[in-house]
Amino acid sequence: MGELRLMKGNEAVAEAAIRAGCDGYFGYPITPQSEVMEYLMVERPYETSGMVVLQAESEVAAINMLYGGAGTGKMVMTSSSSPGVSLMQEGISYLAGAELPALIVNIVRGGPGLGTIQPSQADYFQAVKGGGHGDYHMIVYAPASVQEMADFVQIGFDVAFKYRTPVMILSDGAIGQMMEKVYLADPVARLTDEEVVARCPWASNGRPMSRGHNIITSLDLDPAGQERLNLVLQEKYREIEETEVRFEMIDCEDAEYIFVAFGLSARICQKAMQLARNKGIKVGLFRPITVFPFPKNEIRELGLKVKGMLVVEMNAGQMIEDVQLSVGCNIPIKHYGRFGGIIPTPDEVLKALEEKIIGG
Amino acid sequence: MEEKFAHPELRKPEHLVYKTTDLMVDCPLSYCPGCGHGVVHRMLMEVLEEKEIASKTIGVNPVGCSVLAYDFMNIDMLGAAHGRAPAVATAIKRLWPDHYVFTYQGDGDLAAIGTAETIHACNRGENFTIIFINNGIYGMTGGQMAPTTLPGMRTSTSPYGRDIEIMGHPLKITELIAQLPGTYYVTRQSVQTPSAVRKTKKALRKAFDLQDQKKGISFVEVVSNCNSGWKMTPVQSNIWMEENMFPVYPLGDIKVDGELVTRS
């Protein structure tokens, strides 16, 4: 059945978490994502589903609360925005190293430093290349609508537990704040403690004498052991790259040129495509939905058929590196970006295509 | 091999008067000989065994000398990032409110890098137990100055002695958190003599008993020696601890049943 609602992206994340049967949310206020926790505190799911909602003393505490909750097998999440997510990087590295499932939502704002509270996509590198210390990845979803903000909560939890890995929803201040209609699935009951124990035999949630003690850690002082853990992680990331890639292609069949964009930039590119097609320029859009794993094979094949690609991002050129690595040097691949909280207009994007790719 | 350690007559089951609890994993500890950690570990595991709550207990150990404590305690454990054990334990206790949860932390972990997590978990009145081993030094990393290092005390980062003018004062975090309304039981103990060990065990038992009442944090500090870091023999270090540490960190209950204890 489900339900159709008009909501902000941030509110949709919160409502979707309750409906997904999330066990715990731990967060710290920061603009432009504070509505996630505010919504949860108003809804008080701890009185209905039993979901814990806790305002932590810092993002550092929040991410380590995730570590604790995830280490016991519970479905836990946090949300923050860029500076806060920077503070969480050590904890995310621990989650990856200890192979723990957790959901982290980044409503990206402009940086560096305190930057601005306006939307940005400048945390791409941090999200997809690791961010914290050590060799690890998260699965990273880049929603382009309020609907996808809601959808990726349930999907995110599913893959987090499937692979025992932290998962990030990499959004931005515009999608977090804008209101759209969103279809919400019916609520799923939280797992009982017994179901959690059965689902996560690896978790530390009280040792029955029928098994040995479980230990949640990322530490192995023996280099050979630590290398083995790294190999396990790398094998996991290869499997994720083979099975979890998501992308969208719009009007690419007859396209001579391609916009490559994720999240909000992809929405802008859709309008720029219309403007271009009105002028007779055949442009398509390739939208990575997962930015790790990056849809490299799909974009490589597309690169064989077109004359050039314009990578449109609200940053100084980050995803373009993955596009270039995937496609190679046979066609021109250029970047168009605005940053510091500026959202590019469709006209600007079309002009960039004409100047950098078609006339370039 | 075993004949080396005990006469066959003594090893007969009917003569057994004491053995290490099965909740201690039968393996060599990573601690220096003479260190108090092993004694606290054993008391802690004995309390869980006697209370029959091992299968409902989740422990969180820190970064520091006890970073490998999960290898020695035969219960479910999580190794937290440096200083974050109280945040980790907060989530665990809230998600498993019927379980017993404890953190086991050293002075650098609890009173330096983890000060915010310590104070806020205490102030929220989380219903878990914090076990705080205070030896006034960073043992694992090789004997650097800790927040609890005494004035004048030599460490590898205060080689001429802790200079208060430059390096600040020892942090009496236990007295500090006792002021917070979220703490219900706060005590400071030691393990250098049999009677001190018995008192520490009693304090640990009380701390876990109190988790049933859900009245807030139960906090057990154990002032302990670090003979390696202090560059002393174990015996010397215990004497030095009694003469120098105890005047700054006096033993005894600081808060009982939510009320501060007045010292005469």
Side-chain angles (χ1 to χ4, degrees):
Chain A
M1 281 293 288
E3 189 184 353
L4 208 54
R5 298 257 287 267
L6 180 68
M7 303 181 97
K8 281 188 173 193
N10 288 339
E11 295 168 342
V13 164
E15 180 62 34
I18 298 172
R19 289 173 183 247
C22 178
D23 293 308
Y25 172 92
F26 305 89
Y28 185 82
I30 183 171
T31 308
Q33 67 77 49
S34 295
E35 292 84 0
V36 179
M37 185 160 48
E38 287 172 350
Y39 184 94
L40 291 170
M41 289 299 188
V42 169
E43 290 297 311
R44 292 185 291 187
Y46 38 88
E47 292 184 355
T48 50
S49 77
M51 173 183 174
V52 170
V53 185
L54 181 61
Q55 180 168 339
E57 60 269 34
S58 66
E59 289 91 348
V60 175
I63 196 70
N64 285 282
M65 288 172 182
L66 254 65
Y67 181 89
T72 65
K74 296 273 183 170
M75 270 171 71
V76 289
M77 67 177 292
T78 187
S79 62
S80 187
S81 181
S82 308
V85 176
S86 292
L87 276 174
M88 292 182 180
Q89 291 304 318
E90 184 200 30
I92 295 173
S93 172
Y94 274 66
L95 287 166
E99 300 196 80
L100 296 183
L103 181 64
I104 300 133
V105 182
N106 186 357
I107 308 297
V108 180
R109 56 189 257 182
L114 198 51
T116 169
I117 60 173
Q118 302 300 329
S120 164
Q121 296 181 318
D123 295 358
Y124 178 92
F125 279 154
Q126 185 195 58
V128 308
K129 304 297 181 189
H133 58 285
D135 270 327
Y136 75 90
H137 288 286
M138 290 180 283
I139 300 174
V140 185
Y141 293 99
S145 63
V146 174
Q147 183 64 58
E148 285 189 339
M149 289 282 270
D151 293 345
F152 292 148
V153 172
Q154 179 70 67
I155 291 168
F157 275 128
D158 288 346
V159 295
F161 276 85
K162 180 179 175 188
Y163 296 100
R164 285 182 60 188
T165 183
V167 171
M168 176 170 277
I169 296 178
L170 182 71
S171 185
D172 66 73
I175 294 172
Q177 293 294 328
M178 73 186 186
M179 295 183 86
E180 288 185 314
K181 77 177 175 192
V182 52
Y183 170 81
L184 296 159
D186 282 334
V188 180
R190 287 173 53 244
L191 296 186
T192 63
D193 286 355
E194 291 71 28
E195 288 167 336
V196 169
V197 169
R199 181 196 204 182
C200 305
W202 46 265
S204 278
N205 44 32
R207 173 206 167 198
M209 291 306 132
S210 54
R211 65 160 165 84
H213 62 154
N214 283 343
I215 296 170
I216 301 297
T217 184
S218 55
L219 178 74
D220 195 333
L221 291 170
D222 170 25
Q226 190 58 249
E227 187 177 55
R228 272 197 300 278
L229 169 64
N230 270 268
L231 289 171
V232 166
L233 293 179
Q234 292 306 315
E235 177 58 34
K236 181 188 329 202
Y237 302 142
R238 295 296 84 77
E239 189 186 342
I240 287 168
E241 286 187 309
E242 279 169 21
T243 50
E244 299 302 331
V245 168
R246 287 173 187 245
F247 61 96
E248 183 182 27
M249 291 203 282
I250 300 175
D251 293 346
C252 290
E253 296 78 15
D254 65 339
E256 295 179 344
Y257 304 100
I258 296 291
F259 288 132
V260 186
F262 70 97
L264 184 66
S265 294
R267 294 283 288 268
I268 296 158
C269 285
Q270 278 183 266
K271 184 67 184 174
M273 279 168 59
Q274 285 176 11
L275 299 177
R277 293 227 167 218
N278 290 345
K279 292 174 79 172
I281 307 169
K282 288 181 178 172
V283 193
L285 171 66
F286 186 93
R287 176 169 80 96
I289 296 174
T290 51
V291 282
F292 184 89
F294 192 75
K296 44 190 171 188
N297 296 332
E298 295 76 9
I299 202 164
R300 182 185 303 125
E301 284 170 24
L302 192 56
L304 299 173
K305 300 175 194 161
V306 299
K307 294 179 179 170
M309 292 182 172
L310 184 71
V311 184
V312 181
E313 302 175 77
M314 283 150 54
N315 60 41
Q318 298 190 15
M319 185 176 71
I320 186 173
E321 293 189 3
D322 286 329
V323 177
Q324 287 169 329
L325 279 170
S326 304
V327 177
C329 308
N330 295 330
I331 54 168
I333 299 171
K334 303 284 182 175
H335 180 262
Y336 181 70
R338 296 296 300 271
F339 19 96
I342 302 284
I343 300 173
T345 65
D347 291 322
E348 281 174 58
V349 171
L350 176 57
K351 188 159 168 265
L353 177 74
E354 290 174 321
E355 288 178 0
K356 293 188 174 199
I357 303 290
I358 301 174
Chain B
M1 281 297 284
E2 285 190 11
E3 281 77 10
K4 257 172 77 176
F5 299 108
H7 191 278
E9 186 67 20
L10 291 177
R11 286 190 285 107
K12 285 185 177 169
E14 59 268 32
H15 294 143
L16 182 70
V17 289
Y18 182 83
K19 69 187 269 288
T20 310
T21 162
D22 291 338
L23 292 180
M24 284 297 288
V25 175
D26 189 14
C27 69
L29 302 183
S30 56
Y31 305 110
C32 306
C35 169
H37 268 300
V39 181
V40 183
H41 281 24
R42 201 179 75 232
M43 292 306 115
L44 174 58
M45 290 301 107
E46 284 182 8
V47 165
L48 301 186
E49 181 178 58
E50 289 159 18
K51 279 180 66 66
E52 298 181 350
I53 57 171
S55 65
K56 291 195 77 179
T57 300
I58 305 168
V60 184
N61 65 287
V63 173
C65 285
S66 45
V67 70
L68 294 174
Y70 49 57
D71 283 339
F72 313 137
M73 300 180 185
N74 207 350
I75 56 169
D76 277 4
M77 301 273 292
L78 295 90
H82 196 22
R84 316 302 170 212
V88 173
T90 291
I92 297 172
K93 185 70 182 195
R94 291 207 176 211
L95 291 161
W96 301 83
D98 298 332
H99 280 49
Y100 296 85
V101 178
F102 71 87
T103 71
Y104 187 104
Q105 304 175 256
D107 39 72
D109 191 85
L110 180 139
I113 195 167
T115 311
E117 285 77 11
T118 302
I119 286 181
H120 284 278
C122 288
N123 197 50
R124 284 191 302 262
E126 303 292 344
N127 293 302
F128 59 83
T129 296
I130 295 177
I131 300 156
F132 168 39
I133 311 297
N134 176 11
N135 56 14
I137 203 161
Y138 283 79
M140 183 185 72
T141 44
Q144 293 82 12
M145 184 178 70
T148 50
T149 296
L150 301 183
M153 189 171 161
R154 289 170 191 257
T155 71
S156 68
T157 52
S158 58
Y160 307 105
R162 183 175 190 160
D163 183 342
I164 297 302
E165 293 289 320
I166 299 170
M167 299 156 181
H169 300 269
L171 179 57
K172 295 182 156 197
I173 194 143
T174 307
E175 277 80 357
L176 201 154
I177 63 104
Q179 303 295 323
L180 304 173
T183 53
Y184 192 71
Y185 173 53
V186 181
T187 190
R188 180 183 286 126
Q189 302 295 335
S190 65
V191 289
Q192 85 285 18
T193 64
S195 71
V197 171
R198 277 196 294 276
K199 282 183 190 167
T200 294
K201 185 173 174 184
K202 200 173 155 195
L204 290 169
R205 173 187 291 278
K206 183 178 174 76
F208 279 86
D209 285 345
L210 287 170
Q211 288 198 33
D212 295 329
Q213 297 184 25
K214 299 197 189 304
K215 286 184 172 171
I217 289 277
S218 46
F219 190 102
V220 180
E221 173 180 343
V222 181
V223 181
S224 186
N225 62 336
C226 178
N227 41 285
S228 295
W230 297 355
K231 315 285 183 219
M232 297 174 193
T233 67
V235 173
Q236 282 171 343
S237 70
N238 279 328
I239 295 166
W240 191 89
M241 176 176 71
E242 290 173 353
E243 290 176 351
N244 297 277
M245 294 283 279
F246 290 177
V248 181
Y249 305 111
L251 304 186
D253 290 340
I254 298 170
K255 193 176 195 180
V256 176
D257 297 342
E259 299 290 334
L260 287 168
V261 175
T262 7
R263 288 172 193 270
S264 50

